Amino acid sequence: MALAEFLKQLDALVAAATAAFDGAADEASLEAARIEYLGAKKGRLKAVQKFMGAVGAADRPAAGKRLNEVKTQIETAFTAAQGRLGAVENPRRTGEVTAFDPTLPGRSLRLGRLHPITQTIEELKGIMGRLGFSVAEGPEIEDEWHNFEALNIPLEHPARDPLDNFYLAVAGAAAGTLLLRSQTSTVQIRVMEQGPPPVRIITLGRVYRPDTADATHYPMFHQMEGLLVDRQVTMADLKSVLRLFAASFLGSDVHIRFRPSFFPFTEPSVEADFQWHDQWIEFGGAGMVDPNVLQMVGYDPEQVTGFAFGLGIERLCMRRHNITDIRALYRNDVRFLRQF
Ligand code: PHE
């Protein structure tokens, strides 16, 4: 076939296709026109394209170039007509997907789950809630007053060592030195500053210490702090609450034991151990709120006394689920997390 003849056919095709698309009054006739001209097997564009091979070899590049132009022109005309009829692009209608089978089962959504630490926190809130403790919150970025001074930790105390804390360098901080809180005891102060006794709260949240991560340490972990201040609160109340707590969380056969210890904000201070499968495990510190602390928040130590405790939540969670490496909790490997 001569080049001129081929080009003439292409021109005629563009004219006819454009007229057909422009003239389509509804989506059905547009679709019929699309099949007639652009149909993948028997479309007229396909038919004309077949004549390419008959064009002389020397003329073929010119023929191919024009063919591509025509293809684009026809497709553009179709898209324009589609837009005019408001036909939304629908892969089924353009023939790419042949059918929608409504009998196939739907794809179920994959549900996530709560992180084991979050689950533990919820459970702890439940247990302590039944013992009459409400939940308080405090910021993770703290000032030195709440993290140290009001807790009876003076400037020269080793707990304030920069190597043991994440101090924040905030340019021009008006609030003075800030740090990531190293303990949830900060919230004891914040709650007592907010109002008079009695106080009966727990607070659960993250604390930060620059420890190297290993099986039992992580630079961020969670604590549950408890604080009860009222008239005539004694160490017996502390022991009862912790025993009830341990029995609820670990099972009724749990024993607890106090060992003498020291914290600047409690006097006397103890380490609380729970017995779990014939083994004594340290779960945290506790004690009677130091009178200095009560005074610092404006409470009268002659009128009220209180106890406080701070337990490691990871430890409780790991005991419960037999997790042996704290790092597993924070690797975010769903194959691990999915088990809880
Ligand atoms: N804040 C202490 C710690 O992080 C624990 C504690 C809380 C001790 C309350 C006594 C009273 O180690």
Side-chain angles (χ1 to χ4, degrees):
M1 182 188 290
L3 176 64
E5 175 62 18
F6 184 64
L7 295 183
K8 221 172 93 188
Q9 287 202 15
L10 285 179
D11 288 343
L13 188 67
V14 174
T18 308
F21 294 154
D22 287 352
D26 52 30
E27 286 178 34
S29 41
L30 178 62
E31 176 61 7
R34 186 192 66 79
I35 291 168
E36 180 178 353
Y37 290 95
L38 290 170
K41 281 195 190 120
K42 295 184 183 154
R44 286 171 61 176
L45 180 64
K46 264 267 136 49
V48 174
Q49 203 173 338
K50 287 201 186 105
F51 292 120
M52 267 282 282
V55 174
D59 289 333
R60 228 169 274 154
K65 183 165 170 269
R66 181 64 189 138
L67 178 70
N68 283 333
E69 285 169 10
V70 163
K71 218 187 234 174
T72 313
Q73 281 170 357
I74 294 177
E75 278 164 2
T76 307
F78 171 71
T79 312
Q82 219 178 13
R84 175 174 55 82
L85 292 173
V88 195
E89 244 187 68
N90 185 330
R92 257 181 284 142
R93 204 175 291 140
T94 52
E96 285 158 35
V97 175
T98 44
F100 169 70
D101 184 348
T103 65
L104 287 175
R107 263 181 230 164
S108 59
L109 292 177
R110 287 214 281 159
L111 285 186
R113 63 217 305 128
L114 294 177
H115 190 279
I117 289 295
T118 310
Q119 293 180 31
T120 306
I121 286 175
E122 290 309 313
E123 190 177 349
L124 298 180
K125 282 182 188 170
I127 294 171
M128 296 308 292
R130 289 192 287 280
L131 295 175
F133 288 76
S134 53
V135 178
E137 289 199 43
E140 290 177 24
I141 294 178
E142 264 298 4
D143 51 45
E144 293 188 290
W145 168 257
H146 291 97
N147 203 85
F148 299 125
E149 269 137 59
L151 288 164
N152 211 22
I153 307 175
L155 200 52
E156 65 278 6
H157 196 280
R160 296 175 71 152
D161 194 318
L163 292 176
D164 292 330
N165 294 282
F166 284 112
Y167 285 100
L168 300 175
V170 183
T177 308
L178 298 174
L179 74 160
L180 298 179
R181 68 180 177 193
S182 59
Q183 49 185 353
T184 44
S185 302
T186 54
V187 186
Q188 290 186 34
I189 304 303
R190 289 190 172 272
V191 168
M192 290 191 285
E193 280 174 343
Q194 266 162 31
V199 166
R200 197 184 183 110
I201 59 99
I202 51 165
T203 185
L204 308 99
R206 296 187 185 92
V207 299
Y208 301 85
R209 295 177 192 175
D211 290 329
T212 306
D214 61 26
T216 53
H217 295 85
Y218 207 76
M220 180 281 303
F221 60 100
H222 295 72
Q223 288 186 324
M224 172 170 78
E225 188 92 8
L227 173 69
L228 190 151
V229 182
D230 206 339
R231 288 180 190 277
Q232 295 176 349
V233 177
T234 72
M235 205 111 177
D237 300 313
L238 168 62
K239 202 160 189 177
S240 299
V241 165
L242 283 181
R243 195 175 48 76
L244 281 171
F245 162 75
S248 304
F249 186 77
L250 295 172
S252 53
D253 56 339
V254 174
H255 295 275
I256 82 163
R257 148 180 110 178
F258 281 172
R259 280 178 295 119
S261 185
F262 174 79
F263 297 100
F265 38 91
T266 46
E267 181 60 36
S269 302
V270 296
E271 300 286 344
D273 301 339
F274 300 159
Q275 193 184 33
W276 175 253
H277 296 324
D278 295 331
Q279 218 191 338
W280 287 100
I281 298 139
E282 182 190 322
F283 275 97
M288 300 304 293
V289 180
D290 192 299
N292 285 347
V293 173
L294 294 174
Q295 241 152 12
M296 242 156 328
V297 296
Y299 286 13
D300 181 355
E302 299 300 328
Q303 295 294 317
V304 290
T305 51
F307 68 71
F309 60 86
L311 309 181
I313 295 179
E314 274 76 0
R315 218 172 251 199
L316 292 166
C317 172
M318 288 165 72
R319 267 301 129 188
R320 160 64 68 79
H321 296 297
N322 278 322
I323 298 169
T324 50
D325 191 330
I326 189 174
R327 290 168 294 191
L329 289 170
Y330 298 115
R331 257 185 216 122
N332 277 343
D333 184 336
V334 286
R335 290 169 303 177
F336 170 78
L337 295 174
R338 206 185 272 144
Q339 302 174 80
F340 306 101

